[in-house]
Amino acid sequence: MYFYLGCLIVQLMKINLQLAIVGVCYSYCLIILRSSFSSLNVTQETQCLGLEEQHVVIQVDSQLSENIKQRFLTCMNELKKNNTKISKMLLQKVKGNYKLFVTDHNFIIDAILPETINNLHETAKLMFDAGFERECYEIYNSYREEWLEDLLINKLLALRKMGFQDYVIGRWIKTSKVALKILFPSERHLYNRVFSESNSASSNLYFSRICSGAMFQLLNFSVAFANRSPSAWRLFKILNLFETLCDLIHDFESLFLDRLVSEAIQVKNRLGQKSRDIFMEFGNLIFLTPDVELDCWADGGVHPMTCEATGYIVMAFWSRQHLEKVLHEYPFVFDGVKTYSLFYSQMELIMEQFEKKLEFKSQIYEEPALRYFFMMNNLSHIEYRLESFWDHKYLHKNTGQYFELYCRNSWSKVIDFLKMDVNESVTCNIEANSMKDNLSLFNQKFKETCGIQCTWRVFDEKLWNQIKTFLKMKLLPAYENFIAMFENVVGKNADEYIVYGMSDIQDELNHLFLLEEVDCVRHDLMKTS
């Protein structure tokens, strides 16, 4: 190009000197233009070279990150191999005595080889340094969350195997205590060891996510149980759930973020309110059993309803502190005013209702003496069962009243034949005949009464002895006085009319009633199992 421009300028000079100046300007412009195009080409080639180098760098970084992720997955699979052993160890804890649980932060770490934890920690640090913090958390959480849910719900609680049954409550309590005092604290310790280099806020958030699925299922189970149809027996199971959560709230607060803690507190409050509501209906619920529909026994013994309902009342006294806590913490609110219900006030109403139920049942007996004997027998049974919990003067007073009515309608009629006016002369034949008639009627009524009441049933030896002692105190002196006067009036022929001697009377009284003690303790223990 330079040779061409030089020739061009020479030729123009030959023609005209001024044209040579034009040729020089033209050549200069052309050279400048050519230099600009050359610079542009160099820049484009340089940019292309930079892109190729950057592509190589990206390929190298991507390969490195995949290697790190793969290494982390390998470490997680190594950790997963310990899950079966840990599950079996925790299952033994659930089968043991849950009242002996203590918090153990090292339970999981002690079951895993140290190099497994160290490798996991180092690999997690590499992922964090490479900018894959979120991916690291998500991979770890996916492994542990799935295992924790399966462990708690299907293995420890055994919900899939046992189903949604009332007797699972004891298992739920054990599982919850194992989870909050052993499993989650030790899982948190493992988490801290693996992610010791991480931000604490992020670590807390992701750890709560690991445990939330399993814990929500446990909490939802307790809510679903409480929402089932209310019953007297279910009240005490709900109280057990309530007390368990009360004991574990501190563990929730030390392990989890606000959301899971808030959910646990809400469930606890719901269980407390449900317990309060069921207890306020307790007086009706204890009589909603098949035993209530049974007729009274022909022998006037303790009715099945009495045994069943008293068993529930005994359980209420066993749970008195829990019930008083519920009644105090969750009062009813009417028009903005809190109304507190006292435990003993509620029990007074229940006992009044109980006695009315028994009175209704007693109407099946046509004989008044047996009707009052039934009431005395059943109220004595209730008083006996509750004597270690409650000094119920009202109940004791009513038992005594029914005892008096029973005696008045049976044995008072027998003793009346032995009564005499001591001021009257007994020497005349009229009085002798009258005494003979009275003795004959006494013999007949005494034999009839003993024959009937020897088939009646008292529930324990104490009541049996009380009745017999009372009858001997009333009957034996009256009979002894009558016989002495009778022998004095009738004379040597008196023995022809005397059927019973004093020892015979005592023997007959000793054979009154059938004694069959109701196994109250066994009945109550069956309720609580």
Side-chain angles (χ1 to χ4, degrees), residues 340-355:
Y340 294 91
S341 177
L342 299 179
F343 174 82
Y344 282 103
S345 299
Q346 185 67 10
M347 296 308 297
E348 290 279 358
L349 296 175
I350 291 173
M351 294 311 302
E352 291 177 8
Q353 187 176 359
F354 201 164
E355 186 174 352

Side-chain angles (χ1 to χ4, degrees), residues 220-481:
N220 288 339
F221 174 87
S222 64
V223 173
F225 179 85
N227 288 335
R228 300 182 75 180
S229 58
S231 68
W233 179 85
R234 195 162 287 135
L235 165 65
F236 304 103
K237 295 299 179 182
I238 297 175
L239 276 176
N240 289 339
L241 296 175
F242 171 76
E243 282 304 311
T244 300
L245 280 181
C246 286
D247 294 339
L248 295 177
I249 289 298
H250 176 71
D251 298 282
F252 273 95
E253 292 173 341
S254 64
L255 285 168
F256 307 121
L257 295 178
D258 293 344
R259 179 169 177 259
L260 200 49
V261 174
S262 176
E263 181 68 20
I265 293 175
Q266 288 180 18
V267 171
K268 183 207 72 168
N269 292 338
R270 205 172 306 167
L271 293 173
Q273 293 165 358
K274 193 69 175 181
S275 300
R276 175 205 63 192
D277 294 343
I278 295 178
F279 183 65
M280 298 309 294
E281 292 295 325
F282 193 66
N284 295 322
L285 295 174
I286 61 176
F287 302 113
L288 296 179
T289 64
D291 292 337
V292 177
E293 304 302 324
L294 295 175
D295 291 332
C296 297
W297 308 131
D299 55 19
V302 177
H303 194 277
M305 177 193 71
T306 302
C307 194
E308 182 85 3
T310 308
Y312 287 125
I313 294 174
V314 169
M315 290 171 66
F317 276 100
W318 281 351
S319 305
R320 179 176 62 84
Q321 291 184 343
H322 299 332
L323 287 169
E324 287 181 336
K325 179 180 179 181
V326 165
L327 293 173
H328 178 74
E329 291 186 4
Y330 305 101
F332 289 101
V333 179
F334 298 102
D335 296 330
V337 179
K338 293 182 178 179
T339 303
Y340 294 91
S341 177
L342 299 179
F343 174 82
Y344 282 103
S345 299
Q346 185 67 10
M347 296 308 297
E348 290 279 358
L349 296 175
I350 291 173
M351 294 311 302
E352 291 177 8
Q353 187 176 359
F354 201 164
E355 186 174 352
K356 291 178 181 179
K357 290 281 185 181
L358 288 172
E359 287 178 348
F360 178 78
K361 287 290 183 184
S362 70
Q363 299 304 313
I364 193 174
Y365 298 114
E366 295 181 0
E367 186 177 352
L370 182 55
R371 187 183 309 147
Y372 299 130
F373 178 85
F374 168 83
M375 291 297 298
M376 173 192 66
N377 209 17
N378 281 264
L379 290 179
S380 296
H381 173 84
I382 299 170
E383 187 178 359
Y384 169 77
R385 299 274 294 279
L386 299 181
E387 63 181 356
S388 59
F389 304 102
W390 196 13
D391 182 18
H392 200 296
K393 297 180 180 179
Y394 168 81
L395 189 63
H396 180 74
K397 177 183 177 182
N398 284 12
T399 304
Q401 289 177 346
Y402 284 113
F403 179 78
E404 293 178 3
L405 289 170
Y406 152 72
C407 292
R408 187 185 306 165
N409 285 270
S410 58
W411 292 102
S412 293
K413 295 179 179 180
V414 176
I415 297 174
D416 283 345
F417 292 115
L418 303 177
K419 291 181 178 180
M420 293 187 58
D421 188 353
V422 296
N423 294 324
E424 295 180 3
S425 173
V426 293
T427 57
C428 63
N429 292 335
I430 295 177
E431 291 301 329
N433 291 334
S434 176
M435 292 186 71
K436 291 177 183 178
D437 292 338
N438 283 354
L439 182 59
S440 176
L441 291 172
F442 169 83
N443 293 337
Q444 179 182 349
K445 189 67 175 178
F446 180 76
K447 180 180 180 180
E448 177 187 337
T449 302
C450 289
I452 293 173
Q453 296 194 16
C454 70
T455 63
W456 292 3
R457 191 177 303 274
V458 292
F459 84 95
D460 76 334
E461 189 174 358
K462 181 181 178 181
L463 180 60
W464 185 56
N465 287 327
Q466 285 178 349
I467 298 174
K468 289 191 299 180
T469 300
F470 178 82
L471 292 178
K472 289 177 181 180
M473 290 175 58
K474 292 292 184 180
L475 181 58
L476 291 180
Y479 186 73
E480 186 177 18
N481 291 336

